Amino acid sequence: MGGCFSKPKPVEVKVEVVLPEKEREKEEMSPNGKASPLAYKANGTTRHYHHEERPINLNPYTNPKDMVEASVCHVKDLENGQMREVDLGCGKALLIKQNGEYYAMGHKCPHYGAPLVKGVLSRGRVRCPWHGACFNIVTGDIEDFPGLDGLPKFQVKIEKERVYIRASKQALQSQRRTKVMAKCIALSNYSTAITNMLIIGAGPAGLVCAETLRQEGFSDRIVICTSEKYLPYDRSKLSKSMDSQAEQILLRSKEFFHTYDIEVLTESQVVNVDTKSKMVVFKDGFRMEYNKLLIATGSTPKTLTCKGKELDNVFTIRTPEDANRVVKLATSRNAVIVGASFLGMEVAAYLCEKAHSVSVVELENIPFKKFFGEKVGLAIMKLFESNRVKFYMQTEVSELREQEGKPAKESSIISELKEVVLKSGKVLRADVCVIGIGASPTTGFLKQSGVTIDSKGYIPVNKMMQTNVPSVFAAGDVVTFPLTFRNNKKVNVPHWQMAHMQGRIAALNMLAQGTEINTIPYLWTAMFGKSIRYAGNGEGFDDVIIQGDIEELKFVAFYTRNDEVIAVASMNYDPIVSKVAEVMASGKAIRKRDVE
C-alpha cells in the first residue's frame, strides 16, 4: 500500500499554502472527564463480563539510562520550512525548522512507515507522502488519518550554533506514541445492561471514536459491539494482502482494550434501536441502555441476482476467512472477478501470481472510468493486461453454472462453481468467483428507530456527525455529510481515512465540544507493487489535466469542475497528492490555470 519510487520530474502547483495563526492551544481535559456513573434501571437479561487484571500504563521514556543526546547539524544548515532526517546513533529523528523554531519528532509515519522527510510541511504539521496522515510538529499528535498513533516528540536545544536533540532510545526505535488516555473510574459499579457511550460497529470509525473519548479524559463506560468474532482489524488489507490472518491485521491488541477499559462485544449484532428509550436490542434478545450512541456499522457487499449465486466457491470478501479461502481455491486454478471496483481489481492483482488464470467481468468499457477518468483507467487496464489479466467489458453475468461433485454423504451433494456464463454468450472456466460490484450501507436495523435514513439507505449527518436525533451520531461508510471544500455538498465518502476522522469528530461532539469536520478525503490503492494516491472529491468532474508520462505510470492527474481542481491522483509522483491535499485543507482554491 505504499512504497518509495524513483522521483520523476516534479510538477509545480502554482499555489502556496498560507500559514495561519500560531499553533493551536494546548489540549485541555474534557469537562466530562469525571462523569458520574449512570443511574439507569437495568433492562433485559443480565450478561456477565469478566474483567482481567489491568496493567498499569507507565511512561516508558523516563529512565535516564534510556536517553541519548547528539549534535545533529549547524543552525545554518536548515532554512525555515525545511525538514531533515537526522541520525542520533541509535535511531533517526525528523528535524524541522518553521517560523524560526526547531522541532524534532519520529521520522516514520506510524501507519506504514513512510519517510516523513519526503512529506509536506505546512501549517504546523507534517503530512505523510503515502497516505496523507498529518502530525502536529509541536506535540507529535496525529491530526488527520489514517493510523491510530502519533509520533514521539524529542527535545531540541541550541548550543554554540549547533542543534542538539535529546531523545529516548526506546522512542527512537518504536517511532510511534499512543496518546495518554483515561480509564473507567467505576467499572465494577455498572449493570451490564447500561452504558454511557455505546458504539455499534468495530471498524476504524468506531475504534477511533472510543480512543478519542478516552484521550479527551472521558472516564465513564464505553462499549463497542460488533457482529464479527474479531477485535477491530484492518479490513482494507483483505483485498491487498489476502493471505493475512486475523491476528496479523488487528488494529489494537486485546491488552490495549483491557488497559483502557474499552469493552468490545464480539458476535453481538444489534437488530433494533429505540432512540426514545435510548435502548438497543441484540439478536439474542439482550437489551442495553445508552446515553450517547454512535452508529458505525459500515457497508454490506452487494451480491449477484442471477442463477447460481448461492454456489460454493462464490465469494464477497468480507472476512479474513473469505480472503484466505479465495487464495487457496484460486491457486493454480481459474479465478473470475465480477466487478472492476477497487476491491475487485485489488483481488485480481493479488491472485495473478497464484492463479492459472484471472478474468475480470465489468459492465463499463474501462475500469475506474467514473472515478479516475478514461485515460487513467486505460493505463491501469494495460497494467493488468501486461500481468495476464483478461478483461470482459460491457457485459454482465447471466448464470453461475455448477459442477456436481461426489456426494459427501448419501443424502447430500456438493455443488461447486464450474463456469461463469456472460450475457455476451461467453463462457468462462471458473474454480472460484469473487463478487466486487459495490456495497450498501448497513442500516436496515434502524428502520423503526427514529433515525432518518435517505432513499439509498445512508444516514444524513451534520458536520458534527450528529443525526436528526441529538443523542445519536453516525460515522463511516453509512453516512452522507457536508464536505466543506466542495461547498458543503452532501457526499458519501467510503474511505479508510475518512472513517477515522469521522469517528474522532463524532467522539468530540458526543462530549459536546462543538467540533466540525473539515478534512480532505484521501485514499490509495495498491496493484502489482504500484500505488495510486488520490485526494479530494472528484464527483462530477468535467475535465482531467494530466502531467507526466501516463504510459510509464509516472503521472499526476488533476480533476477539475468549472475551472477549479476538485481532486488529484498520481502514480510515482510523491508527494504531489499530499501537497495538493494540504493546499485544499488550507481553504485556498486551486484553479485550472495553476496546473495546466
Side-chain angles (χ1 to χ4, degrees):
M1 281 174 56
C4 290
F5 302 100
S6 56
K7 188 175 182 181
K9 184 180 177 181
V11 172
E12 294 296 330
V13 179
K14 302 174 186 176
V15 177
E16 294 182 0
V17 180
V18 181
L19 294 174
E21 53 275 14
K22 276 288 185 181
E23 307 297 336
R24 60 185 185 179
E25 297 176 357
K26 294 182 179 180
E27 295 175 78
E28 296 179 349
M29 295 292 282
S30 164
N32 297 19
K34 296 294 182 181
S36 302
L38 296 176
Y40 294 146
K41 180 180 178 182
N43 288 279
T45 308
T46 303
R47 181 178 286 186
H48 299 284
Y49 303 90
H50 302 282
H51 297 284
E52 301 169 11
E53 195 68 24
R54 292 170 176 78
I56 298 172
N57 187 33
L58 298 174
N59 184 345
Y61 309 140
T62 55
N63 184 354
K65 294 181 181 179
D66 181 49
M67 303 302 291
V68 62
E69 184 174 299
S71 170
V72 294
C73 70
H74 191 276
V75 291
K76 293 182 180 179
D77 289 344
L78 220 59
E79 299 292 335
N80 269 325
Q82 287 187 334
M83 301 184 287
R84 175 180 289 189
E85 199 174 89
V86 294
D87 197 334
L88 278 70
C90 58
K92 294 181 178 180
L94 184 68
L95 179 64
I96 300 164
K97 186 177 182 182
Q98 190 162 69
N99 297 334
E101 298 290 331
Y102 290 89
Y103 307 91
M105 59 186 188
H107 72 106
K108 286 184 177 180
C109 178
H111 181 227
Y112 271 23
L116 293 174
V117 71
K118 295 183 179 181
V120 179
L121 173 63
S122 168
R123 304 185 302 140
R125 67 186 192 178
V126 176
R127 185 182 283 269
C128 171
W130 290 358
H131 307 134
C134 297
F135 303 92
N136 186 293
I137 65 173
V138 176
T139 64
D141 289 345
I142 187 167
E143 294 187 343
D144 206 336
F145 301 90
L148 298 170
D149 294 320
L151 295 167
K153 185 75 178 66
F154 308 131
Q155 296 175 3
V156 181
K157 68 176 183 179
I158 309 297
E159 282 188 3
K160 297 180 180 179
E161 297 192 320
R162 297 289 302 176
V163 180
Y164 290 81
I165 295 178
R166 177 177 168 82
S168 154
K169 296 176 184 177
Q170 185 175 341
L172 285 169
Q173 292 167 5
S174 71
Q175 290 293 321
R176 64 177 63 236
R177 177 183 55 83
T178 301
K179 200 171 180 181
V180 175
M181 298 190 199
K183 296 184 180 182
C184 192
I185 58 176
L187 199 57
S188 60
N189 294 340
Y190 288 113
S191 161
T192 56
I194 303 170
T195 185
N196 196 319
M197 300 292 188
L198 177 59
I199 298 167
I200 307 177
L207 177 58
V208 171
C209 178
E211 290 196 22
T212 302
L213 290 170
R214 287 285 185 248
Q215 290 167 1
E216 293 297 307
F218 181 76
S219 57
D220 220 320
R221 190 180 183 201
I222 301 172
V223 174
I224 300 175
C225 59
T226 172
S227 58
E228 296 209 43
K229 62 181 179 180
Y230 300 113
L231 293 173
Y233 64 89
D234 188 344
R235 192 187 302 278
S236 71
K237 289 186 178 179
L238 296 185
S239 55
K240 297 179 178 73
S241 181
M242 298 179 70
D243 282 313
S244 298
Q245 303 299 306
E247 58 271 15
Q248 296 173 315
I249 57 175
L250 292 179
L251 295 171
R252 294 294 195 192
S253 67
K254 182 179 179 181
E255 291 71 29
F256 176 91
F257 294 100
H258 287 167
T259 299
Y260 298 109
D261 299 323
I262 298 171
E263 298 170 65
V264 183
L265 308 185
T266 56
E267 298 181 286
S268 299
Q269 182 181 355
V270 173
V271 295
N272 185 263
V273 176
D274 186 339
T275 57
K276 290 183 179 179
S277 61
K278 291 190 172 183
M279 181 184 296
V280 302
V281 180
F282 291 85
K283 191 174 182 178
D284 63 1
F286 178 69
R287 296 168 181 265
M288 182 178 284
E289 291 188 29
Y290 64 85
N291 182 24
K292 297 285 178 66
L293 175 67
L294 175 72
I295 301 164
T297 42
S299 55
T300 302
K302 293 179 180 178
T303 57
L304 297 178
T305 58
C306 64
K307 180 182 178 182
K309 63 179 181 178
E310 304 298 336
L311 286 176
D312 281 354
N313 299 4
V314 178
F315 296 86
T316 56
I317 304 293
R318 188 63 185 168
T319 66
E321 287 83 2
D322 290 339
N324 297 166
R325 193 167 171 222
V326 166
V327 173
K328 185 177 179 180
L329 290 168
T331 301
S332 301
R333 300 174 80 185
N334 304 293
V336 174
I337 316 300
V338 181
S341 60
F342 282 102
L343 181 142
M345 295 288 274
E346 288 170 357
V347 169
Y350 190 84
L351 293 180
C352 267
E353 292 185 358
K354 300 178 182 294
H356 172 70
S357 70
V358 178
S359 302
V360 175
V361 180
E362 168 59 33
L363 193 58
E364 294 289 332
N365 65 328
I366 297 171
F368 301 125
K369 182 178 178 179
K370 292 181 179 178
F371 196 87
F372 287 131
E374 186 171 322
K375 290 183 179 179
V376 175
L378 275 174
I380 296 170
M381 189 173 179
K382 288 180 181 178
L383 171 65
F384 274 74
E385 289 175 331
S386 69
N387 284 275
R388 299 187 308 109
V389 176
K390 178 71 174 174
F391 286 94
Y392 297 88
M393 308 302 285
Q394 294 180 285
T395 188
E396 298 178 82
V397 175
S398 63
E399 180 187 353
L400 298 173
R401 195 172 287 167
E402 69 181 20
Q403 170 180 297
E404 291 190 354
K406 294 181 180 180
K409 295 181 182 178
E410 291 185 5
S411 60
S412 64
I413 291 196
I414 302 170
S415 295
E416 292 187 346
L417 178 69
K418 178 185 178 183
E419 295 170 332
V420 174
V421 183
L422 307 182
K423 287 187 176 179
S424 63
K426 183 73 176 177
V427 178
L428 307 179
R429 291 181 60 187
D431 299 294
V432 61
C433 180
V434 175
I435 311 302
I437 56 174
S440 302
T442 308
T443 54
F445 67 102
L446 296 170
K447 287 183 179 178
Q448 307 299 321
S449 67
V451 175
T452 298
I453 306 293
D454 71 15
S455 60
K456 294 182 178 179
Y458 295 107
I459 305 170
V461 295
N462 60 21
K463 288 188 178 182
M464 296 187 289
M465 310 316 295
Q466 190 174 39
T467 71
N468 62 303
V469 180
S471 61
V472 179
F473 297 77
D477 292 6
V478 296
V479 306
T480 59
F481 71 104
L483 186 59
T484 301
F485 99 101
R486 289 295 306 269
N487 297 316
N488 297 320
K489 179 180 180 179
K490 279 273 190 175
V491 296
N492 170 255
V493 182
H495 301 164
W496 191 248
Q497 167 262 350
M498 186 58 73
H500 285 69
M501 181 57 84
Q502 290 177 347
R504 174 167 175 77
I505 296 299
L508 296 175
N509 292 304
M510 290 165 88
L511 297 174
Q513 293 192 15
T515 306
E516 294 187 345
I517 191 167
N518 184 15
T519 185
I520 302 301
Y522 202 116
L523 70 87
W524 67 97
T525 184
M527 302 159 182
F528 305 109
K530 300 182 183 295
S531 291
I532 303 175
R533 328 250 188 241
Y534 179 97
N537 179 266
E539 187 175 317
F541 69 86
D542 54 28
D543 196 11
V544 184
I545 299 167
I546 296 175
Q547 296 190 22
D549 191 336
I550 198 165
E551 295 296 326
E552 293 296 321
L553 301 179
K554 292 183 179 181
F555 68 88
V556 54
F558 297 96
Y559 300 86
T560 65
R561 181 175 174 82
N562 298 333
D563 194 47
E564 183 177 344
V565 174
I566 56 174
V568 60
S570 81
M571 292 182 76
N572 293 336
Y573 254 102
D574 294 341
I576 187 67
V577 170
S578 287
K579 182 176 181 180
V580 172
E582 203 55 30
V583 175
M584 290 174 169
S586 74
K588 186 153 188 170
I590 304 174
R591 299 297 175 190
K592 204 170 182 178
R593 62 178 177 273
D594 297 322
V595 298
E596 283 180 324

